[in-house]
């Protein structure tokens, strides 16, 4: 059997795990306590993300037309 050429480090330190749990709990608390605001944040982030993708696509279209 061949050796794996990719050395993927799985797991992580306790600090990474604690930070991940804290972030998930904070997001969950935000959704539970302020669902309307949380939905607005997600909508805003997706709108901006879509705008970024559109801008990059327009940039490459303009490069090919120029």
């Amino acid at each position: 059997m061949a050796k794996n050429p990719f050395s993927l480090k799985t797991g992580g330190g306790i600090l990474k795990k604690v930070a991940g749990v804290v972030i998930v709990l904070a997001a969950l608390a935000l959704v539970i306590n302020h669902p309307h605001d949380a939905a607005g944040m997600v909508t805003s982030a997706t709108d901006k993300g879509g705008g970024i993708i559109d801008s990059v696509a327009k940039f490459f279209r303009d490069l090919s037309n120029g």
Side-chain angles (χ1 to χ4, degrees):
M1 180 181 230
K3 290 184 180 180
N4 186 0
F6 303 106
S7 176
L8 297 176
K9 186 176 181 181
T10 59
I14 188 75
L15 187 59
K16 282 185 178 181
K17 292 178 183 177
V18 170
V21 169
V22 168
I23 290 170
V24 168
L25 289 176
L28 186 60
L30 179 67
V31 170
I32 291 171
N33 291 329
H34 306 286
H36 183 72
D37 294 336
M41 287 180 203
V42 171
T43 301
S44 174
T46 56
D47 289 345
K48 289 180 183 176
I52 292 170
I53 293 170
D54 290 341
S55 296
V56 171
K58 184 178 183 322
F59 171 76
F60 284 113
R61 279 194 305 261
D62 288 347
L63 278 179
S64 66
N65 291 336

